[in-house]
Amino acid sequence: MRIFVFALLFCFSTSLAGAQPVPDLGPEAAPPSAEDFNPLTEDLPEEGGKVAVEEGDPDEEQDKLDELFADLAKAEDPKAAARIARNIQIMWMESGSATVDVLMSRAGKAIQAEDHALALDLLDVVVILKPSFAEGWNRRATVHYMREEFGKSLVDIERTLALEPRHWGALSGLAIIQRRLGFEGDALATFRRALEVNPGLENAVKAIKDLEKDAEGEPT
């Protein structure tokens, strides 16, 4: 993963040096939004409640996450799968630090208000205070992406996936950037990985179909 990201960053830097524009997704493709990375979980419905884990016990939390991911992989009912995915996202948002939680909440509101500078300031503090908190890196990756700072976004995506390889938001974000930079084969593989983790990702399903048609030389 690290080697690939640095290789992608090198290619990206080379394209910038040559003043080449970032490839578009295509005339019929809508540009990705921050929601393609990971929805702001503080806006999720309260139905279903929080997942009960023993605070301060990382082993217990990891076991619960593993159980939820196993349930998500075999869930056949879309509503049940959505509930499980929401519970995973809720757990991802629990940093274990009241200060970090407040900063994350304020950063989320800044993102919604499109105040990206403020969001970055807040998230910079988050990753310093809690470098083991994967969602902090994921949120900062999202903001970098929204500012079209793809190199910085890739670095934060790498940190997110190093901490939580199953983070489908970060995987989707990586695939979107790969696609925008013209690495269609890598994007297809990454979207497939995201879909393996969370079979309910409709954007990934559509992207995979489009990329597979492109690979076959068919119009999307």
Side-chain angles (χ1 to χ4, degrees), residues 151-167:
K152 292 180 180 180
S153 185
L154 285 169
V155 172
D156 283 354
I157 288 171
E158 181 190 13
R159 294 297 295 269
T160 304
L161 294 174
L163 292 165
E164 176 47 89
R166 300 168 296 187
H167 199 298

Side-chain angles (χ1 to χ4, degrees), residues 47-68:
E47 180 183 355
K50 288 194 174 184
V51 180
V53 294
E54 183 179 343
E55 186 174 358
D57 188 340
D59 292 334
E60 177 88 6
E61 182 176 345
Q62 189 61 48
D63 289 345
K64 187 59 182 179
L65 272 174
D66 292 343
E67 180 182 338
L68 286 170

Side-chain angles (χ1 to χ4, degrees), residues 94-168:
E94 295 174 350
S95 70
S97 164
T99 300
V100 169
D101 289 345
V102 169
L103 292 169
M104 287 290 288
S105 177
R106 291 178 179 173
K109 292 176 182 177
I111 293 172
Q112 291 173 329
E114 298 185 3
D115 190 344
H116 299 155
L118 175 58
L120 277 181
D121 286 343
L122 293 165
L123 293 168
D124 285 346
V125 178
V126 166
V127 298
I128 290 173
L129 292 178
K130 195 80 173 182
S132 62
F133 182 42
E135 192 58 31
W137 296 102
N138 179 61
R139 284 298 179 89
R140 201 172 72 167
T142 300
V143 178
H144 283 312
Y145 173 82
M146 295 173 76
R147 290 163 61 95
E148 297 192 353
E149 296 172 340
F150 301 120
K152 292 180 180 180
S153 185
L154 285 169
V155 172
D156 283 354
I157 288 171
E158 181 190 13
R159 294 297 295 269
T160 304
L161 294 174
L163 292 165
E164 176 47 89
R166 300 168 296 187
H167 199 298
W168 63 77

